[in-house]
Amino acid sequence: MDIVTKMQVNVSSDQVFEAFVNPDYIGGFWFSSSSERWEEGKTITLRYEEYHAEIDILIEDMVENEMIQFKWGDNHVTIQFDGDDNHTIVTTTEKDIEENDVARLLGQKEGWVYMLSCLKSYLEYGNKIRGALL
């Protein structure tokens, strides 16, 4: 089963894309830190300092300002950026979730909604969870 989540962020797609791929900014809305700039073929370590947790993701494909595909665990995620100079629809799609694992489905959906809400607040209003402002 796939989990699809969308939100409009009222900034340009290049600003939204940069917030994800630049390790200086990701802490403002999502993970505490990213080991390095996201690039196709790289394995990136993402950390949640407050939970003493980390996960490695493999960047499988990227199109600057348009799309990022990565794998974490057994699941594949695509983040798409569709927009213009003032608005971007950010769509996250996480694939391969077991449809019988209701708790995981709900938890992952909740996580994507929370991340996109934090992204919107960060880029539109300068509210940050932690880290530098883009």
Side-chain angles (χ1 to χ4, degrees), residues 22-66:
N22 188 324
D24 293 334
Y25 303 127
I26 200 165
F29 69 96
W30 196 8
F31 288 90
S32 303
S33 66
S34 176
S35 60
E36 60 185 299
R37 186 172 182 85
W38 295 20
E39 294 178 12
E40 189 173 324
K42 284 188 176 180
T43 297
I44 306 296
T45 301
L46 301 172
R47 291 182 186 82
Y48 268 127
E49 299 297 335
E50 57 269 37
Y51 302 113
H52 306 288
E54 67 181 40
I55 187 169
D56 288 334
I57 64 170
L58 172 62
I59 308 298
E60 297 179 307
D61 193 15
M62 288 177 77
V63 177
E64 189 171 345
N65 303 332
E66 293 180 19

Side-chain angles (χ1 to χ4, degrees), residues 22-127:
N22 188 324
D24 293 334
Y25 303 127
I26 200 165
F29 69 96
W30 196 8
F31 288 90
S32 303
S33 66
S34 176
S35 60
E36 60 185 299
R37 186 172 182 85
W38 295 20
E39 294 178 12
E40 189 173 324
K42 284 188 176 180
T43 297
I44 306 296
T45 301
L46 301 172
R47 291 182 186 82
Y48 268 127
E49 299 297 335
E50 57 269 37
Y51 302 113
H52 306 288
E54 67 181 40
I55 187 169
D56 288 334
I57 64 170
L58 172 62
I59 308 298
E60 297 179 307
D61 193 15
M62 288 177 77
V63 177
E64 189 171 345
N65 303 332
E66 293 180 19
M67 179 271 301
I68 302 168
Q69 289 181 329
F70 62 89
K71 182 176 182 182
W72 61 4
D74 293 331
N75 300 86
H76 295 267
V77 174
T78 301
I79 303 174
Q80 293 178 291
F81 311 99
D82 298 309
D84 54 31
D85 290 341
N86 300 310
H87 308 91
T88 304
I89 302 295
V90 182
T91 304
T92 62
T93 305
E94 184 169 5
K95 296 182 173 287
D96 309 323
I97 305 287
E98 288 291 323
E99 65 184 63
N100 295 331
D101 192 348
V102 175
R104 181 162 164 76
L105 285 166
L106 292 174
Q108 291 301 100
K109 181 67 172 185
E110 180 181 308
W112 290 116
V113 170
Y114 179 73
M115 182 276 290
L116 289 175
S117 298
C118 290
L119 174 70
K120 181 177 183 68
S121 180
Y122 175 61
L123 293 178
E124 290 184 18
Y125 303 104
N127 299 322

